[in-house]
Amino acid sequence: MTPDIRPLIAGNWKMNGTRAELDQIKAIADGVKTPLSQQVDTLLCPPITLLYVATALCDDSPLLVGAQDCHHKVCGAHTGDISAEMIADCFGTHVIVGHSERRGDHAETDHLVRAKAEAAHAADLVAIVCVGETLDERDAYQTLDVLKRQIFNSVPADANAQNTVIAYEPVWAIGTGLTPTRGDIEVAHAFMRAELVELMGREGAGVRILYGGSVKPANASEILGIDNVDGVLVGGASLKAEDFLAIYAACEPHVVKAA
Ligand code: 13P
C-alpha cells in the first residue's frame, strides 16, 4: 500500500447476479460494518439491473455501489446504453471504464475510455479506469509501454486523486487463477505511479492504483502488502460475500502497519 492513501476494495460482478443474489449484497453490506471501514473503502459494482436495489440495501452501510460501464454521452438515441447521470440517479458513486472485457468485446479504444471517464466526472462519479496488457504483449516485454499508452490516452485532463482510480488488470490474469509475481506487480505499480505523477503532477501521488486479476482470499494479503497497491478490483471472488469479506479483512494488518 501507499502511506496516506485510503485503500479501496472493489468488486466487479460482471454479467452475473439476479435478484436471487441480493442476499449476497446484503451480507456484504452488513459484513463491512466493522471498525476497519473507518480506514478502508469498499465498493460493489453489480449488473445495472441490480444497481438501484443494491444502493437501497446499502443505505445504512459504508459499502458503496457503482456500475461497470457508462456511455460517453449524457443522453440520446443510444439503444441499450446507460449514461453516467443515470448511474448517479440510482445513487451509484463509481463507474468502471475501459475494462479489458469492454475493450475486447466492444472494441473500446483508449480515447473512448477517456470520454467515458469525462462523462463520469461530469456526473460527479468516480471513474475507475482499467489498464493492463494482454499475454502477447507481456511475452513481447511490452507491459510498461502498454500501461504508459493506456494511462496517457485514457485518463482525462480533469482527473484528480478524488475522481479517478486506476485499476491494473493484466488481461491474462483475469479469471485464470494466474497472477503476476510480487516483483512484477511492484514494478508495474511503481511505473504507473511515476506516470501518474508525470501526467498530473503532485496530484498523481495520491491516486489510488488497484490491482485486479484472480484476487482471492488466499492471495489478497500478499498483494495488498505490495508498495503502490492501494486496493484490489475483484471479479469472481466478489460474488460470494464470504470471499469478498475475507479480502476486505486482509487489509487490516496493512492499514495498521501504515498508521
Ligand atoms: P477475476 O477476479 O475473476 O480474475 O476478475 C478480475 C476482474 O476482471 C475484475 O474487474
Side-chain angles (χ1 to χ4, degrees):
M1 287 187 181
T2 314
D4 301 328
I5 294 187
R6 193 179 160 88
L8 172 64
I9 304 299
N12 172 13
W13 273 20
K14 308 189 179 184
M15 200 171 71
N16 297 293
T18 60
R19 285 180 299 142
E21 280 73 45
L22 287 173
D23 59 344
Q24 293 299 309
I25 298 181
K26 178 78 177 121
I28 294 173
D30 287 342
V32 298
K33 287 186 209 164
T34 70
L36 186 60
S37 66
Q38 284 160 23
Q39 289 162 288
V40 176
D41 287 333
T42 49
L43 167 75
L44 198 63
C45 299
I48 204 73
T49 48
L50 299 182
L51 182 69
Y52 186 57
V53 184
T55 56
L57 285 177
C58 294
D59 222 15
D60 63 345
S61 165
L63 180 66
L64 302 167
V65 183
Q68 302 171 12
D69 179 50
C70 66
H71 196 273
H72 63 287
K73 297 222 173 115
V74 175
C75 61
H78 303 287
T79 301
D81 280 313
I82 303 290
S83 72
E85 196 174 89
M86 292 168 181
I87 296 164
D89 183 52
C90 291
F91 307 111
T93 54
H94 292 61
V95 60
I96 299 169
V97 293
H99 192 285
S100 61
E101 287 151 14
R102 302 268 341 155
R103 289 177 186 261
D105 295 353
H106 301 275
E108 293 192 359
T109 62
D110 287 340
H111 294 97
L112 179 63
V113 173
R114 179 165 60 196
K116 289 182 177 211
E118 284 166 353
H121 293 162
D124 284 333
L125 298 179
V126 178
I128 301 180
V129 180
C130 298
V131 296
E133 81 286 1
T134 63
L135 189 57
D136 284 350
E137 289 163 341
R138 174 185 155 84
D139 288 345
Y141 302 100
Q142 291 170 349
T143 298
L144 300 185
D145 294 338
V146 170
L147 295 180
K148 186 183 184 78
R149 192 198 71 224
Q150 291 181 332
I151 286 177
F152 273 79
N153 293 333
S154 308
V155 176
D158 70 349
N160 60 43
Q162 277 70 49
N163 68 14
T164 303
V165 173
I166 304 296
Y168 170 51
E169 300 203 305
V171 178
W172 54 273
I174 295 176
T176 58
L178 303 171
T179 51
T181 63
R182 195 190 158 91
D184 283 348
I185 296 177
E186 203 167 285
V187 168
H189 279 243
F191 178 80
M192 290 184 286
R193 173 69 65 214
E195 293 300 308
L196 289 168
V197 169
E198 193 182 329
L199 188 67
M200 298 159 62
R202 287 181 51 161
E203 191 70 23
V207 171
R208 294 194 269 200
I209 309 176
L210 313 185
Y211 168 80
S214 295
V215 177
K216 311 279 177 219
N219 61 17
S221 184
E222 184 182 9
I223 291 170
L224 288 165
I226 299 172
D227 285 353
N228 289 302
V229 174
D230 308 311
V232 285
L233 180 55
V234 186
S238 71
L239 293 168
K240 275 215 210 129
E242 191 186 339
D243 287 351
F244 184 84
L245 292 171
I247 293 168
Y248 165 64
C251 283
E252 178 113 44
H254 304 293
V255 294
V256 168
K257 207 170 117 196

